[in-house]
Amino acid sequence: MSRPFRIGLTGGIGMGKSTTARMFAEEGVAVWDADAAVHRLYGPKGAAVEVIAALRPDAVVEGAVSREALRAWIAEDAAALKRIEAVVHPLVQNDRAEFSALTEADILLFDIPLLFETGADADMDMVVTVSCPPEEQKRRVLERGTMNEQALERILASQMPDAEKRARADRVIETDTLEGARDQVKAIVAEVREKQDA
Ligand code: ADP
């Protein structure tokens, strides 16, 4: 098989990235999930445990990185986030490289919230962003009940604006309805496979 086609999937929080990634998986696309990779790295025996312990011993609790402790550290120390990212980012990159090397599929999809912000878009053959109106985004995130409006505003301020993601992406999937999004996913997969067969 020739080199697989690489799709980068991104989108603002709550805009339907995970849901859309699952739709690609249902079409036979192999999916790598950046958030899941971080979870593995932070978990027991994960590769990030040792490097985080070296930075901040009390951020490791019962052999795993405590997100709560990291959040507390970030809240009290303006330099913390950069220091954490500097050690975790290369480990995430390794995980992604390993997936790319070991996965046999015609299409690989990389689900990466900060795709543009980290420069990972440069490694992709196609970049797709999911998008929905901002009021709908807010409604979806608050409905989860895991964060309040203030926390959401902070996250939004740290992410690239939706308009810029839309402008930079090769394709935009509108996530107004599940059926509509599924049709757009199918169309993209068909287009890529057609090109591969040509
Ligand atoms: P993200 O991974 O971008 O944070 P999720 O995939 O978890 O977002 O979706 C956030 C919410 O939006 C969920 O409640 C999900 O059911 C809903 N949603 C996602 N995609 C669609 C869609 N295409 N149409 C309608 N609702 C959607």
Side-chain angles (χ1 to χ4, degrees):
M1 198 189 286
S2 58
R3 179 182 177 274
F5 191 88
R6 300 162 69 84
I7 300 176
L9 179 71
T10 194
I13 179 170
M15 285 189 163
K17 205 169 43 61
S18 315
T19 305
T20 307
R22 279 196 295 277
M23 292 176 181
F24 276 99
E26 284 161 16
E27 299 303 316
V29 172
V31 174
W32 180 81
D33 176 333
D35 285 342
V38 173
H39 263 278
R40 274 197 306 279
L41 292 166
Y42 281 0
K45 299 203 171 73
V49 175
E50 229 168 274
V51 294
I52 294 287
L55 284 184
R56 181 90 176 174
D58 63 7
V60 172
V61 178
E62 290 172 8
V65 175
S66 158
R67 284 163 181 262
E68 208 181 330
L70 289 187
R71 272 196 292 271
W73 183 27
I74 291 165
E76 71 175 38
D77 178 352
L81 183 60
K82 281 243 166 332
R83 295 184 61 198
I84 295 165
E85 282 176 351
V87 294
V88 174
H89 191 65
L91 298 175
V92 176
Q93 295 269 63
N94 280 348
D95 193 279
R96 178 152 70 88
E98 211 166 88
F99 168 85
S100 299
L102 299 178
T103 307
E104 285 186 28
D106 58 347
I107 307 175
L108 305 182
L109 180 117
F110 299 86
D111 170 349
I112 308 182
L114 299 178
L115 182 80
F116 291 117
E117 292 89 336
T118 57
D121 57 317
D123 300 335
M124 304 298 158
D125 299 310
M126 177 191 278
V127 170
V128 177
T129 191
V130 293
S131 184
C132 69
E135 324 77 68
E136 176 64 11
Q137 174 187 32
K138 190 166 161 186
R139 194 189 62 74
R140 289 179 183 176
V141 173
L142 297 181
E143 194 183 68
R144 283 180 191 159
T146 53
M147 70 177 75
N148 61 22
E149 213 165 328
Q150 207 186 2
L152 173 61
E153 291 303 328
R154 262 203 308 275
I155 291 178
L156 290 177
S158 74
Q159 295 188 338
M160 179 184 285
D162 180 53
E164 196 176 339
K165 289 201 191 91
R166 293 179 68 105
R168 288 179 60 167
D170 300 303
R171 300 285 183 285
V172 177
I173 295 183
E174 310 287 351
T175 61
D176 305 3
T177 67
L178 292 172
E179 304 73 50
R182 194 179 302 278
D183 287 347
Q184 295 168 76
V185 166
K186 285 187 174 171
I188 289 171
V189 170
E191 176 198 334
V192 169
R193 291 200 167 130
E194 216 163 278
K195 258 192 245 161
Q196 281 178 321
D197 290 343

